[in-house]
Amino acid sequence: MPTSDSLDSDALFELEPAVTQSAGFAELARRPLRELVAADWAEALAPVEGKLRDVLAFLGREVAEGHEVLPPPSNVLRAFGQPLADVRVLIVGQDPYPTPGHAVGLSFAVDGATRPIPRSLANIYKELEADLGLPPRVHGDLRGWAEQGVLLLNRVLSVRAGEAGSHRNKGWEAITAAAISAVADRVTADGSPAPLVAILWGRDAGTVLPLLGSTPVISSAHPSPLSASRGFFGSRPFSHANTLLREQGGGTVDWELPPLP
């Protein structure tokens, strides 16, 4: 490892992103919860606030030790940016894409400029076309779904670049379990369950079933190229979700994404 005397200006410039990332995660660990997530999410996640701060501090240490962490600090809690009260559909993923530049803090989504899109997302688009006749998009920006109350939540919210699953069992699972329970436990003014449909793709997603109570669930194989042909294709999750939402008085989701982000 070079000493400080051997670091020229170019090398220092190369180190800036890692230094910034480390400081960013450490800063998140110190900030009030209400500055990190939507106000009603802050209330729902208060019981696991200490665990959240521990995980964020761990991410700071990961970067300080030379690991690139995805997504960046600005997006690691992005799934909780939309109000909890607005959630109508829950789509559970595993952990973020480990390819640098792909993870954006929403399960299955990527930055709108990413080409080509991940194969799992391409398969999701194929099923969307078969289900609702909506044309596949070349981009992976799923903000249009999130803004309509589709919670795109990974079970684990960070990963080392190039190392899929590297941040499992580091504390995220308790936080996302609390989030899923909070979504499922909401009630309306008359005490009835708030409209909600859960879409669970693959065995990992299926592990959250005990947290969902009486929530209607649509489950199938994962859209990964390794499993999509074993039950994901033909499952019609998007039309089924809208049917279940209508039955609960929750309206419908417009699943069509813009041609370009």
Side-chain angles (χ1 to χ4, degrees):
M1 180 175 180
T3 66
S4 58
D5 292 336
S6 67
L7 291 171
D8 59 18
S9 59
D10 288 339
L12 284 171
F13 180 80
E14 291 171 0
L15 286 174
E16 281 183 2
V19 172
T20 300
Q21 206 184 41
S22 177
F25 286 123
E27 171 61 23
L28 291 184
R30 293 190 294 266
R31 289 172 60 185
L33 193 54
R34 286 180 173 269
E35 294 182 10
L36 304 179
V37 299
D40 53 356
W41 273 119
E43 182 177 352
L45 296 177
V48 292
E49 180 177 355
K51 293 180 180 179
L52 175 58
R53 296 192 186 284
D54 288 345
V55 177
L56 294 172
F58 159 73
L59 299 186
R61 293 193 299 273
E62 282 277 273
V63 177
E65 293 170 5
H67 303 291
E68 182 180 1
V69 172
L70 307 175
S74 58
N75 278 339
V76 72
L77 296 175
R78 185 179 177 188
F80 305 126
Q82 298 292 329
L84 168 60
D86 292 349
V87 175
R88 297 187 290 161
V89 177
L90 168 67
I91 298 181
V92 179
Q94 298 176 7
D95 56 349
Y97 297 117
T99 303
H102 280 200
V104 294
L106 303 176
S107 62
F108 298 103
V110 292
D111 184 85
T114 298
R115 303 288 188 277
I117 62 173
R119 290 178 293 172
S120 291
L121 182 55
N123 285 339
I124 290 171
Y125 285 169
K126 287 179 183 178
E127 181 60 20
L128 182 60
E129 182 177 28
D131 186 2
L132 296 176
L134 299 178
R137 299 310 188 193
V138 297
H139 68 86
D141 186 344
L142 303 183
R143 283 180 297 174
W145 294 355
E147 290 168 356
Q148 295 181 75
V150 179
L151 177 59
L152 299 162
L153 183 67
N154 281 318
R155 281 291 273 137
V156 173
L157 301 185
S158 65
V159 69
R160 285 184 188 175
E163 299 183 40
S166 50
H167 284 174
R168 294 188 181 191
N169 301 315
K170 302 298 184 182
W172 282 124
E173 290 86 352
I175 294 156
T176 55
I180 292 167
S181 294
V183 171
D185 290 346
R186 295 169 305 153
V187 295
T188 62
D190 65 3
S192 59
L196 178 67
V197 176
I199 299 177
L200 307 180
W201 291 325
R203 284 184 297 178
D204 276 9
T207 62
V208 310
L209 270 171
L211 305 173
L212 291 170
S214 61
T215 300
V217 174
I218 299 166
S219 60
S220 74
H222 194 275
S224 161
L226 299 175
S227 57
S229 62
R230 298 200 295 267
F232 174 74
F233 290 136
S235 62
R236 303 188 64 196
F238 308 100
S239 61
H240 287 167
N242 277 348
T243 296
L244 290 167
L245 281 176
R246 278 194 299 267
E247 291 174 355
Q248 299 172 69
T252 60
V253 173
D254 179 0
W255 295 102
E256 184 169 11
L257 295 165
L260 293 173

